[in-house]
DNA sequence: GCCATTCTATAGCGCCCACTAGATAATGTG
DNA sequence: CACATTATCTAGTGGGCGCTATAGAATGGC
């Protein structure tokens, strides 16, 4: 058995509380005092359990991605075509970005936007995660082009960037107060820009 | 003539320098020390000329909107239809958001994202400016619906939000490093989602 | 020349930040 | 029981923040 005095708080619950704070206001705007209050844990216990503020934030990001960000990968994996995957992704984003009782928008986008030099690596990490998201969509699109489902002259990169633009723009609008129903219409509207699939062309 | 010792720096140039700082990193992440360095002005002169940090930021926003944000209103005023206005707006955004030698993206979107309570009013002011942008696009769309240029079942609000989603998403992608050419394609792609204009329907 | 006025420079204010030293409490092990 | 180990608490640390008191420098008015 583990020796010494046992931890008196639920580490997972505390991490979830920290994630909500960071999601809501971002890395720099949330102070250690805010975190100890929200997590119900005094500073020394926080540092003992999670390291420093950056490490805690990174763990919060992991937790966020597991719980709220998995829908993108699931859509890309489970749907039969890139088009259906993106359509599902955008519609599910409308829900996730306006969940009642949770912060609006996407933590990967808004949690490290205004950065002092000391948190540049945090911001850089999120940029890489976002760009990896684009790359995943781009690979899915390229696969459909290869398979003849999408026209051979499709610009996979630009189309993937377009999808990401809509996704990130929706997150911004969710933060600004747009409701879920409107975002659903936006998601539907956005799909009208998707190129005609080869099967759609008669003859 | 104005009495007393004359100011030894160019107030407009100093304001432009401050605007660049705020545009690049946002309200909270730019310290007074950063500003005095960038503006070439010591703190007491800065406070004498611009009031406090919030007031300076607000003036920087005004300056930014005058110099870099006017293209939206111009497009909405000068183009004959909402469609052409939005198309022009998105294409010009691709340029403005990737200007060489200037920060990427849009200051109105990214300059007050991560906020401590003391800058909530700053963030709220930007939210209102952004929502006013949506409203302006929506009015232009509604006018075209009224005029029979757009289908009568057009959801003017949702379409305006879609346009804003694309605009803001482009700004985010510009910050993440997407180049102007790709954003131009994105802008063009996005317009494919625009509803068919009534004139386009034969018969 | 001399004063009132206005700007500039040095130096530092109080406050909050992320973080921690040191004492104490609660456990497993013998 | 005593002891090693680990967590917790109080009470800070040094440092950067926005901002400013005070003294000195540069102007116009007389």
């Amino acid at each position: 058995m583990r020796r010494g005095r046992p931890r008196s708080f639920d580490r997972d619950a505390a991490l979830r509380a920290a994630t909500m704070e960071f999601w809501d206001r971002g890395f720099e705007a949330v102070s250690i005092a805010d975190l100890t209050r929200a997590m119900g844990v005094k500073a020394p216990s926080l540092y003992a359990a999670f390291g420093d503020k950056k490490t805690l934030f990174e763990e919060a990001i992991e937790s966020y991605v597991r719980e709220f960000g998995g829908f993108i990968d699931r859509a890309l994996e489970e749907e039969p075509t890139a088009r259906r995957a993106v359509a599902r992704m955008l519609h599910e984003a409308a829900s996730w970005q306006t969940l009642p009782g949770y912060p609006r928008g996407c933590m990967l986008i808004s949690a490290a936007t205004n950065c002092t030099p000391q948190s540049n690596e945090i911001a850089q990490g999120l940029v890489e995660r976002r760009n990896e998201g684009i790359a995943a969509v781009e690979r899915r699109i390229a696969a459909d082009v290869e398979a003849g489902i999408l026209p051979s002259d499709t610009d996979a990169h630009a189309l993937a960037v377009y999808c990401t633009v809509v996704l990130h723009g929706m997150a911004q609008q969710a933060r600004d107060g747009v409701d879920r129903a409107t975002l659903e219409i936006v998601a539907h509207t956005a799909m009208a820009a998707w190129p005609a699939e080869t099967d759609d062309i008669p003859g």
Side-chain angles (χ1 to χ4, degrees), chain A:
Chain A
M1 174 89 188
R2 202 175 153 69
R3 315 207 331 179
R5 177 174 177 173
R7 179 177 287 132
S8 65
F9 61 93
D10 180 339
R11 192 183 189 280
D12 289 346
L15 177 58
R16 275 195 297 274
T19 303
M20 294 298 123
E21 293 290 299
F22 283 133
W23 185 359
D24 189 38
R25 303 202 303 286
F27 175 73
E28 301 234 37
V30 175
S31 71
I32 296 292
D34 293 333
L35 290 168
T36 59
R37 199 176 310 117
M39 300 164 79
V41 170
K42 306 286 185 188
S45 299
L46 187 158
Y47 280 91
F50 296 102
D52 63 0
K53 191 183 174 189
K54 280 185 190 176
T55 310
L56 171 58
F57 180 82
E58 280 159 13
E59 204 170 331
I61 286 285
E62 299 286 345
S63 155
Y64 171 83
V65 169
R66 254 195 321 276
E67 195 163 355
F68 304 98
F71 72 95
I72 292 181
D73 288 338
R74 275 198 301 277
L76 289 174
E77 281 166 19
E78 296 174 5
E79 294 296 324
T81 66
R83 170 178 203 135
R84 292 173 73 100
V86 169
R88 170 172 154 185
M89 184 179 96
L90 294 182
H91 274 95
E92 293 193 3
S95 304
W96 288 108
Q97 290 168 356
T98 61
L99 274 186
Y102 291 84
R104 292 295 188 105
C106 171
M107 182 173 176
L108 297 181
I109 298 170
S110 54
T113 299
N114 302 144
C115 284
T116 56
Q118 87 231 15
S119 72
N120 263 344
E121 52 195 89
I122 293 276
Q124 194 55 37
L126 295 192
V127 170
E128 280 159 22
R129 277 181 191 270
R130 292 194 292 264
N131 285 339
E132 172 48 35
I134 296 183
V137 174
E138 181 173 340
R139 285 192 296 272
R140 192 68 189 78
I141 291 171
D144 274 19
V145 173
E146 195 71 20
I149 298 170
L150 282 169
S152 60
D153 64 348
T154 302
D155 184 334
H157 178 62
L159 186 56
V161 172
Y162 168 71
C163 299
T164 308
V165 157
V166 174
L167 188 66
H168 291 189
M170 285 171 64
Q172 175 66 45
Q173 289 308 305
R175 285 208 134 222
D176 280 2
V178 170
D179 63 18
R180 173 179 160 173
T182 303
L183 290 182
E184 295 276 6
I185 303 176
V186 166
H188 181 260
T189 302
M191 287 310 296
W194 193 268
E197 304 203 342
T198 306
D199 294 354
D200 294 349
I201 301 173

